[in-house]
Amino acid sequence: MAEIVGAGEALERALALLQGGDVVAIPTETVYGLAGDATNGIGVARIFEAKGRPRFNPLIAHVADMAMAERIALFDPLSKKLAIAFWPGPLTLVLPQRPGNGIHPLVTAGLDTIALRMPRGFGGDLIARLGRPLAAPSANSSGKISATTAQAVAADLGARIRLVVDGGATPVGLESTIVKAEAGRLRLLRPGGIAAEDIEAAVGMELLRGGGAGVEAPGMLASHYAPGAAVRLDARTVAEGEALLAFGNLRAAGWQRATAFRNLSETGDLREAATNLFAYMQDLDRSGARTIAVEPIPFDGLGEAINDRLSRAAAPRDNTQPTT
Ligand code: TXA
Ligand code: MG
C-alpha cells in the first residue's frame, strides 16, 4: 500500500524512488501526476503499468526551468511567448523534439513532437533536484477521473505504487490547457486550467480549434507512429526479405532469414518489452526491410498496450492519418 507523505518531508524519498526507476504520485497545481524519470524506459513503462492504460498515449514531460525545456524541444516564437507568459503554470505546449534530447521514446509514443509543461510547487522542486524531466500523466487509473487529492490517488492507485506526496488539494483541479503551434498559428488541443481567452489575449490572435494533427480529445491521438515498412503480426515464420521483431526465447521458424533482428525481451518481460518497443520498431524500419514480422506477444499486463500499438502500426495505410 502506498505511503502518503507530506510535501515538506517527501523530497528525498521521492528522489530515491525516481532514481531507482520507480514512480511517485506528486501534486501539481492542476491535478496529481504519476511521475517517472522521462529518460528511463523502465520508469516510464511503470507509469503505464500502474495506470492500467490500455494504450500508450503520449505523456507530458515536466521541466524545472526554461533551460531544461530548450534542451528537450525547439521553440517557435509564439510558443516561447506563451512559455514566458504562463510558466510555471497549467499550460502544456506541444513542440518539435530536439534530436538527441535523451527522452525515452515511450514518453512520446514514438512521435517527433513532445508535450512540455513547467509545473508549480513540489513538482518543480523535485525536477530541479533530479536534474531530469519527469513524465507524468494524471494520477488515476485508466478511464477514471483525475485525482485532486493525495487520498484520492491512494484510494485508486495505492496498491500499485509506493509513495503519494501530499500537497493538499490541487489549486486548479483541472488538467492543463494543451496548445500546439502550427505554421504561425496556435491550435487548442485540450481546453484546461488556463482559459483559451487568456492565451488569445497574451498572443493577440485567435486559437484554432478542433481537427488538426494533434489530439482530438483528451487521450485521443489521431497521428500514430506508422513505420515505412509493412507490419505483420503474430508471425510464426519469417519470409524472405522480412525483418523480425522477436519476443521471449522461442523463435519463429526461419528466423535466421531475417534481414534485421531485435528482441523486445529475451526473458519475456512485458515491462522491458514496452520500453524497447518504439526504439526497436524504428531500428527495424531504418534497416530498409519491406516488412517487419512480429512474433506473438501475450495480452496480459502491458501486453495489451503493446499489442494495441502494434496493431495500429499494422493497420492498412490508406485509412491512416499522416503523421506530423
Ligand atoms: O495538468 C496536466 O496536464 C496533468 C498534470 C499531471 O501535468 N497531466 C495530464 O496528463 O493531464 P495526461 O496524460 O492525462 O494527458 C496528456 C494529454 C493526452 O491527451 C495526450 O494525448 C496529450 O497530452 N499529448 C501528449 N503528447 C502529445 C503530443 N506530442 N501531441 C499531441 N498531444 C499530446
Ligand atoms: Mg488523464
Side-chain angles (χ1 to χ4, degrees), residues 26 28 30-34 51 53 57-60 62 90 92 94-95 107-108 111-115 117 119 136-140 146 174-178 180 189-190 213-215 217-221 223:
I26 59 166
T28 83
T30 56
V31 297
Y32 275 73
L34 184 60
K51 278 187 71 93
R53 273 207 176 178
N57 291 322
L59 305 177
I60 298 171
H62 298 72
T92 295
V94 174
L95 300 162
V107 173
T108 56
L111 296 170
D112 50 16
T113 55
I114 187 162
R117 173 163 116 73
S138 48
N140 51 276
S146 301
L174 189 69
E175 297 89 341
S176 61
T177 303
I178 306 181
K180 182 183 185 187
L189 296 182
R190 179 177 76 179
V215 281
M220 293 301 297
L221 193 80
S223 57

Short mmCIF file of all heavy atoms in Angstrom, two decimals, residues 26 28 30-34 51 53 57-60 62 90 92 94-95 107-108 111-115 117 119 136-140 146 174-178 180 189-190 213-215 217-221 223, ligand 1:
data_model
loop_
_atom_site.label_atom_id
_atom_site.label_comp_id
_atom_site.label_asym_id
_atom_site.label_seq_id
_atom_site.Cartn_x
_atom_site.Cartn_y
_atom_site.Cartn_z
N ILE A 26 2.72 12.76 -7.41
CA ILE A 26 3.10 14.09 -6.90
C ILE A 26 1.98 15.11 -7.15
O ILE A 26 1.24 15.00 -8.12
CB ILE A 26 4.40 14.60 -7.59
CG1 ILE A 26 4.22 14.69 -9.12
CG2 ILE A 26 5.59 13.71 -7.25
CD1 ILE A 26 5.29 15.49 -9.82
N THR A 28 0.61 18.63 -8.43
CA THR A 28 0.96 19.78 -9.27
C THR A 28 -0.18 20.76 -9.08
O THR A 28 -1.16 20.43 -8.41
CB THR A 28 1.11 19.43 -10.78
OG1 THR A 28 -0.19 19.42 -11.39
CG2 THR A 28 1.82 18.10 -11.00
N THR A 30 -2.39 21.58 -11.14
CA THR A 30 -3.60 21.20 -11.89
C THR A 30 -4.28 19.99 -11.23
O THR A 30 -5.37 20.11 -10.67
CB THR A 30 -3.25 20.85 -13.34
OG1 THR A 30 -2.26 19.82 -13.37
CG2 THR A 30 -2.75 22.08 -14.08
N VAL A 31 -3.64 18.82 -11.36
CA VAL A 31 -4.13 17.58 -10.75
C VAL A 31 -2.89 16.83 -10.27
O VAL A 31 -1.77 17.22 -10.58
CB VAL A 31 -4.91 16.72 -11.77
CG1 VAL A 31 -6.18 17.43 -12.25
CG2 VAL A 31 -4.04 16.34 -12.97
N TYR A 32 -3.08 15.75 -9.52
CA TYR A 32 -1.93 14.93 -9.13
C TYR A 32 -1.40 14.20 -10.37
O TYR A 32 -2.16 13.80 -11.26
CB TYR A 32 -2.32 13.92 -8.04
CG TYR A 32 -2.24 14.54 -6.66
CD1 TYR A 32 -3.20 15.46 -6.25
CD2 TYR A 32 -1.19 14.25 -5.79
CE1 TYR A 32 -3.11 16.07 -4.99
CE2 TYR A 32 -1.09 14.85 -4.54
CZ TYR A 32 -2.06 15.76 -4.15
OH TYR A 32 -1.96 16.36 -2.93
N GLY A 33 -0.07 14.07 -10.44
CA GLY A 33 0.54 13.37 -11.56
C GLY A 33 1.23 12.11 -11.08
O GLY A 33 1.66 12.01 -9.93
N LEU A 34 1.30 11.11 -11.96
CA LEU A 34 2.03 9.88 -11.64
C LEU A 34 3.36 9.96 -12.39
O LEU A 34 3.40 9.76 -13.60
CB LEU A 34 1.24 8.65 -12.06
CG LEU A 34 1.88 7.32 -11.68
CD1 LEU A 34 2.04 7.21 -10.17
CD2 LEU A 34 1.05 6.16 -12.20
N LYS A 51 -1.14 2.72 -14.16
CA LYS A 51 -2.42 3.29 -14.58
C LYS A 51 -3.32 2.27 -15.24
O LYS A 51 -4.52 2.50 -15.39
CB LYS A 51 -2.18 4.43 -15.59
CG LYS A 51 -1.83 5.76 -14.95
CD LYS A 51 -1.77 6.86 -15.98
CE LYS A 51 -3.09 7.28 -16.56
NZ LYS A 51 -3.75 8.39 -15.89
N ARG A 53 -3.15 1.58 -18.35
CA ARG A 53 -3.54 2.19 -19.62
C ARG A 53 -3.60 1.15 -20.72
O ARG A 53 -2.63 0.45 -20.96
CB ARG A 53 -2.52 3.27 -20.05
CG ARG A 53 -2.82 4.59 -19.47
CD ARG A 53 -2.30 5.73 -20.32
NE ARG A 53 -2.75 6.96 -19.69
CZ ARG A 53 -2.46 8.16 -20.12
NH1 ARG A 53 -1.71 8.32 -21.18
NH2 ARG A 53 -2.91 9.22 -19.51
N ASN A 57 -0.63 6.20 -24.76
CA ASN A 57 -0.81 7.60 -25.18
C ASN A 57 0.45 8.35 -24.84
O ASN A 57 1.11 8.03 -23.85
CB ASN A 57 -1.98 8.23 -24.43
CG ASN A 57 -3.30 7.65 -24.86
OD1 ASN A 57 -3.49 7.37 -26.04
ND2 ASN A 57 -4.18 7.44 -23.90
N PRO A 58 0.80 9.37 -25.64
CA PRO A 58 1.98 10.13 -25.28
C PRO A 58 1.76 10.90 -23.98
O PRO A 58 0.64 11.30 -23.67
CB PRO A 58 2.16 11.09 -26.47
CG PRO A 58 0.81 11.17 -27.10
CD PRO A 58 0.13 9.87 -26.85
N LEU A 59 2.82 11.06 -23.21
CA LEU A 59 2.75 11.71 -21.90
C LEU A 59 3.33 13.11 -21.95
O LEU A 59 4.12 13.44 -22.84
CB LEU A 59 3.56 10.90 -20.88
CG LEU A 59 3.19 9.44 -20.74
CD1 LEU A 59 4.13 8.75 -19.75
CD2 LEU A 59 1.75 9.29 -20.30
N ILE A 60 2.98 13.93 -20.97
CA ILE A 60 3.57 15.26 -20.84
C ILE A 60 4.90 15.13 -20.11
O ILE A 60 4.99 14.44 -19.09
CB ILE A 60 2.62 16.20 -20.06
CG1 ILE A 60 1.31 16.37 -20.85
CG2 ILE A 60 3.29 17.55 -19.80
CD1 ILE A 60 0.22 17.10 -20.07
N HIS A 62 7.52 17.03 -17.83
CA HIS A 62 7.51 18.21 -16.95
C HIS A 62 8.94 18.68 -16.70
O HIS A 62 9.81 17.86 -16.40
CB HIS A 62 6.82 17.86 -15.63
CG HIS A 62 5.37 17.47 -15.80
ND1 HIS A 62 4.99 16.27 -16.36
CD2 HIS A 62 4.23 18.13 -15.49
CE1 HIS A 62 3.66 16.22 -16.40
NE2 HIS A 62 3.17 17.32 -15.87
N PRO A 90 -0.50 26.08 -15.59
CA PRO A 90 -1.28 24.99 -16.19
C PRO A 90 -1.35 25.02 -17.72
O PRO A 90 -2.41 24.87 -18.30
CB PRO A 90 -2.67 25.16 -15.58
CG PRO A 90 -2.64 26.39 -14.78
CD PRO A 90 -1.34 27.07 -14.93
N THR A 92 0.36 23.43 -21.29
CA THR A 92 1.24 22.45 -21.93
C THR A 92 1.41 22.84 -23.39
O THR A 92 0.44 23.14 -24.08
CB THR A 92 0.62 21.03 -21.83
OG1 THR A 92 0.59 20.66 -20.44
CG2 THR A 92 1.44 20.01 -22.60
N VAL A 94 2.89 21.70 -27.14
CA VAL A 94 3.37 20.60 -27.99
C VAL A 94 4.36 21.19 -28.99
O VAL A 94 4.03 22.10 -29.74
CB VAL A 94 2.20 19.89 -28.70
CG1 VAL A 94 2.71 18.85 -29.69
CG2 VAL A 94 1.27 19.25 -27.68
N LEU A 95 5.57 20.66 -28.97
CA LEU A 95 6.69 21.24 -29.73
C LEU A 95 7.49 20.14 -30.43
O LEU A 95 7.46 18.98 -30.01
CB LEU A 95 7.64 21.95 -28.75
CG LEU A 95 7.05 23.09 -27.93
CD1 LEU A 95 7.93 23.40 -26.74
CD2 LEU A 95 6.87 24.33 -28.81
N VAL A 107 7.75 7.85 -23.87
CA VAL A 107 7.10 9.08 -23.38
C VAL A 107 6.26 9.70 -24.49
O VAL A 107 5.14 10.14 -24.27
CB VAL A 107 8.14 10.12 -22.89
CG1 VAL A 107 7.47 11.44 -22.54
CG2 VAL A 107 8.92 9.58 -21.69
N THR A 108 6.82 9.73 -25.70
CA THR A 108 6.16 10.43 -26.80
C THR A 108 5.45 9.45 -27.74
O THR A 108 4.97 9.86 -28.79
CB THR A 108 7.19 11.23 -27.61
OG1 THR A 108 8.21 10.32 -28.05
CG2 THR A 108 7.82 12.32 -26.77
N LEU A 111 6.41 9.65 -31.36
CA LEU A 111 6.17 10.85 -32.17
C LEU A 111 7.42 11.72 -32.21
O LEU A 111 8.29 11.61 -31.34
CB LEU A 111 5.02 11.67 -31.58
CG LEU A 111 3.65 11.01 -31.56
CD1 LEU A 111 2.68 11.84 -30.73
CD2 LEU A 111 3.14 10.83 -32.98
N ASP A 112 7.49 12.63 -33.19
CA ASP A 112 8.64 13.54 -33.19
C ASP A 112 8.31 14.85 -32.48
O ASP A 112 9.14 15.75 -32.42
CB ASP A 112 9.20 13.74 -34.60
CG ASP A 112 8.13 14.10 -35.60
OD1 ASP A 112 7.03 14.48 -35.15
OD2 ASP A 112 8.39 14.01 -36.80
N THR A 113 7.10 14.96 -31.93
CA THR A 113 6.77 16.12 -31.10
C THR A 113 6.74 15.68 -29.64
O THR A 113 6.69 14.49 -29.34
CB THR A 113 5.39 16.70 -31.45
OG1 THR A 113 4.43 15.66 -31.35
CG2 THR A 113 5.40 17.28 -32.86
N ILE A 114 6.76 16.67 -28.73
CA ILE A 114 6.68 16.36 -27.30
C ILE A 114 5.82 17.41 -26.61
O ILE A 114 5.87 18.59 -26.97
CB ILE A 114 8.07 16.26 -26.66
CG1 ILE A 114 7.96 15.77 -25.21
CG2 ILE A 114 8.84 17.60 -26.75
CD1 ILE A 114 9.27 15.23 -24.65
N ALA A 115 5.01 16.97 -25.64
CA ALA A 115 4.21 17.89 -24.84
C ALA A 115 5.03 18.27 -23.61
O ALA A 115 5.49 17.41 -22.87
CB ALA A 115 2.90 17.22 -24.43
N ARG A 117 5.56 20.87 -20.07
CA ARG A 117 4.90 21.76 -19.11
C ARG A 117 5.84 21.99 -17.94
O ARG A 117 6.60 21.11 -17.56
CB ARG A 117 3.62 21.07 -18.63
CG ARG A 117 2.90 21.76 -17.50
CD ARG A 117 1.48 21.24 -17.43
NE ARG A 117 1.21 20.52 -16.18
CZ ARG A 117 1.06 21.12 -15.00
NH1 ARG A 117 1.17 22.42 -14.89
NH2 ARG A 117 0.79 20.40 -13.92
N PRO A 119 5.57 22.75 -14.13
CA PRO A 119 4.61 22.85 -13.04
C PRO A 119 5.12 23.73 -11.89
O PRO A 119 6.32 23.95 -11.76
CB PRO A 119 4.47 21.40 -12.57
CG PRO A 119 5.82 20.81 -12.83
CD PRO A 119 6.38 21.52 -14.04
N ALA A 136 4.70 12.54 -16.70
CA ALA A 136 3.61 12.33 -15.74
C ALA A 136 2.25 12.54 -16.39
O ALA A 136 1.92 13.65 -16.78
CB ALA A 136 3.75 13.26 -14.54
N PRO A 137 1.47 11.48 -16.47
CA PRO A 137 0.05 11.63 -16.78
C PRO A 137 -0.69 11.91 -15.47
O PRO A 137 -0.09 11.87 -14.40
CB PRO A 137 -0.33 10.26 -17.33
CG PRO A 137 0.55 9.31 -16.58
CD PRO A 137 1.84 10.06 -16.27
N SER A 138 -1.97 12.19 -15.56
CA SER A 138 -2.76 12.36 -14.34
C SER A 138 -2.74 11.06 -13.54
O SER A 138 -2.72 9.97 -14.12
CB SER A 138 -4.19 12.78 -14.70
OG SER A 138 -4.71 11.94 -15.71
N ALA A 139 -2.72 11.19 -12.21
CA ALA A 139 -2.54 10.02 -11.34
C ALA A 139 -3.86 9.34 -11.03
O ALA A 139 -4.36 9.35 -9.90
CB ALA A 139 -1.83 10.44 -10.04
N ASN A 140 -4.44 8.74 -12.06
CA ASN A 140 -5.69 7.99 -11.90
C ASN A 140 -5.59 6.76 -12.78
O ASN A 140 -4.86 6.76 -13.75
CB ASN A 140 -6.88 8.84 -12.36
CG ASN A 140 -6.66 9.43 -13.74
OD1 ASN A 140 -6.02 10.47 -13.89
ND2 ASN A 140 -7.15 8.75 -14.75
N SER A 146 -9.39 12.39 -13.07
CA SER A 146 -8.12 12.78 -12.47
C SER A 146 -8.28 13.03 -10.98
O SER A 146 -9.32 13.53 -10.53
CB SER A 146 -7.61 14.05 -13.14
OG SER A 146 -7.44 13.84 -14.52
N LEU A 174 -8.08 21.00 -12.51
CA LEU A 174 -8.42 20.64 -13.88
C LEU A 174 -7.10 20.49 -14.61
O LEU A 174 -6.15 21.23 -14.32
CB LEU A 174 -9.20 21.82 -14.45
CG LEU A 174 -9.89 21.72 -15.79
CD1 LEU A 174 -11.06 20.75 -15.68
CD2 LEU A 174 -10.42 23.10 -16.17
N GLU A 175 -7.00 19.56 -15.56
CA GLU A 175 -5.74 19.37 -16.26
C GLU A 175 -5.33 20.62 -17.03
O GLU A 175 -6.16 21.50 -17.29
CB GLU A 175 -5.85 18.20 -17.26
CG GLU A 175 -6.13 16.86 -16.63
CD GLU A 175 -7.61 16.58 -16.48
OE1 GLU A 175 -8.42 17.52 -16.54
OE2 GLU A 175 -7.93 15.38 -16.30
N SER A 176 -4.07 20.65 -17.42
CA SER A 176 -3.53 21.81 -18.14
C SER A 176 -4.18 21.99 -19.52
O SER A 176 -4.68 21.04 -20.11
CB SER A 176 -2.02 21.64 -18.31
OG SER A 176 -1.73 20.49 -19.07
N THR A 177 -4.15 23.21 -19.99
CA THR A 177 -4.57 23.52 -21.36
C THR A 177 -3.44 23.11 -22.29
O THR A 177 -2.28 23.42 -22.02
CB THR A 177 -4.81 25.04 -21.48
OG1 THR A 177 -5.78 25.42 -20.50
CG2 THR A 177 -5.29 25.43 -22.86
N ILE A 178 -3.77 22.40 -23.37
CA ILE A 178 -2.72 21.97 -24.31
C ILE A 178 -2.85 22.74 -25.63
O ILE A 178 -3.93 22.78 -26.23
CB ILE A 178 -2.79 20.45 -24.60
CG1 ILE A 178 -2.76 19.65 -23.30
CG2 ILE A 178 -1.65 20.03 -25.51
CD1 ILE A 178 -2.80 18.13 -23.49
N LYS A 180 -0.75 23.76 -29.43
CA LYS A 180 0.31 23.41 -30.38
C LYS A 180 0.42 24.47 -31.46
O LYS A 180 -0.60 24.88 -32.04
CB LYS A 180 -0.04 22.06 -31.03
CG LYS A 180 1.01 21.56 -32.00
CD LYS A 180 0.55 20.27 -32.66
CE LYS A 180 1.66 19.71 -33.53
NZ LYS A 180 1.19 18.55 -34.30
N LEU A 189 -5.53 22.07 -28.36
CA LEU A 189 -5.73 20.61 -28.45
C LEU A 189 -6.58 20.10 -27.29
O LEU A 189 -7.29 19.11 -27.43
CB LEU A 189 -4.39 19.88 -28.45
CG LEU A 189 -3.47 20.14 -29.64
CD1 LEU A 189 -2.21 19.30 -29.52
CD2 LEU A 189 -4.17 19.84 -30.96
N ARG A 190 -6.49 20.76 -26.13
CA ARG A 190 -7.31 20.36 -24.98
C ARG A 190 -7.57 21.58 -24.14
O ARG A 190 -6.64 22.24 -23.68
CB ARG A 190 -6.58 19.31 -24.14
CG ARG A 190 -7.39 18.89 -22.90
CD ARG A 190 -6.71 17.80 -22.08
NE ARG A 190 -5.60 18.31 -21.28
CZ ARG A 190 -4.86 17.57 -20.47
NH1 ARG A 190 -5.09 16.28 -20.37
NH2 ARG A 190 -3.89 18.10 -19.78
N ALA A 213 -3.73 18.10 -36.45
CA ALA A 213 -2.96 16.86 -36.48
C ALA A 213 -2.70 16.33 -35.08
O ALA A 213 -2.06 15.31 -34.92
CB ALA A 213 -1.65 17.11 -37.20
N GLY A 214 -3.18 17.01 -34.06
CA GLY A 214 -2.85 16.60 -32.69
C GLY A 214 -3.94 15.76 -32.07
O GLY A 214 -4.53 14.89 -32.71
N VAL A 215 -4.22 15.99 -30.80
CA VAL A 215 -5.25 15.21 -30.12
C VAL A 215 -6.63 15.75 -30.47
O VAL A 215 -6.83 16.94 -30.61
CB VAL A 215 -5.09 15.28 -28.59
CG1 VAL A 215 -4.01 14.33 -28.12
CG2 VAL A 215 -4.83 16.69 -28.12
N ALA A 217 -9.37 14.74 -28.56
CA ALA A 217 -9.97 14.86 -27.24
C ALA A 217 -8.91 14.35 -26.27
O ALA A 217 -7.97 13.69 -26.70
CB ALA A 217 -11.22 13.99 -27.17
N PRO A 218 -9.04 14.66 -24.98
CA PRO A 218 -8.03 14.16 -24.05
C PRO A 218 -7.77 12.67 -24.27
O PRO A 218 -8.69 11.88 -24.33
CB PRO A 218 -8.66 14.41 -22.68
CG PRO A 218 -9.56 15.56 -22.90
CD PRO A 218 -10.06 15.45 -24.33
N GLY A 219 -6.54 12.32 -24.42
CA GLY A 219 -6.19 10.92 -24.54
C GLY A 219 -6.37 10.34 -25.94
O GLY A 219 -6.07 9.18 -26.17
N MET A 220 -6.88 11.13 -26.87
CA MET A 220 -7.12 10.61 -28.21
C MET A 220 -6.13 11.24 -29.19
O MET A 220 -6.20 12.41 -29.48
CB MET A 220 -8.53 10.96 -28.68
CG MET A 220 -9.62 10.27 -27.89
SD MET A 220 -9.49 8.48 -27.96
CE MET A 220 -9.74 8.22 -29.71
N LEU A 221 -5.25 10.46 -29.69
CA LEU A 221 -4.27 10.99 -30.61
C LEU A 221 -4.56 10.45 -32.00
O LEU A 221 -4.69 9.26 -32.20
CB LEU A 221 -2.87 10.59 -30.17
CG LEU A 221 -1.80 11.37 -30.89
CD1 LEU A 221 -1.64 12.75 -30.26
CD2 LEU A 221 -0.50 10.62 -30.86
N SER A 223 -2.66 10.98 -34.84
CA SER A 223 -1.47 10.56 -35.58
C SER A 223 -0.67 9.57 -34.76
O SER A 223 -0.24 9.87 -33.66
CB SER A 223 -0.62 11.77 -35.92
OG SER A 223 -0.27 12.46 -34.77
O1 TXA B 1 -2.40 19.03 -15.90
C1 TXA B 1 -1.98 18.12 -16.61
O2 TXA B 1 -1.77 18.26 -17.81
C2 TXA B 1 -1.68 16.79 -15.91
C3 TXA B 1 -0.57 17.05 -14.89
C4 TXA B 1 -0.15 15.81 -14.17
O3 TXA B 1 0.54 17.64 -15.56
N1 TXA B 1 -1.31 15.79 -16.83
C5 TXA B 1 -2.21 15.20 -17.71
O4 TXA B 1 -1.64 14.18 -18.48
O5 TXA B 1 -3.37 15.52 -17.84
P1 TXA B 1 -2.49 13.13 -19.31
O6 TXA B 1 -1.51 12.06 -19.74
O7 TXA B 1 -3.67 12.65 -18.55
O8 TXA B 1 -2.91 13.93 -20.60
C6 TXA B 1 -1.91 14.36 -21.52
C7 TXA B 1 -2.52 14.69 -22.85
C8 TXA B 1 -3.08 13.47 -23.57
O9 TXA B 1 -4.38 13.77 -24.05
C9 TXA B 1 -2.11 13.26 -24.71
O10 TXA B 1 -2.71 12.67 -25.83
C10 TXA B 1 -1.61 14.67 -24.98
O11 TXA B 1 -1.49 15.22 -23.69
N2 TXA B 1 -0.29 14.70 -25.63
C11 TXA B 1 0.89 14.29 -25.12
N3 TXA B 1 1.90 14.41 -26.02
C12 TXA B 1 1.34 14.89 -27.15
C13 TXA B 1 1.84 15.23 -28.45
N4 TXA B 1 3.14 15.08 -28.77
N5 TXA B 1 0.98 15.73 -29.36
C14 TXA B 1 -0.33 15.89 -29.04
N6 TXA B 1 -0.87 15.59 -27.84
C15 TXA B 1 -0.05 15.08 -26.90
#
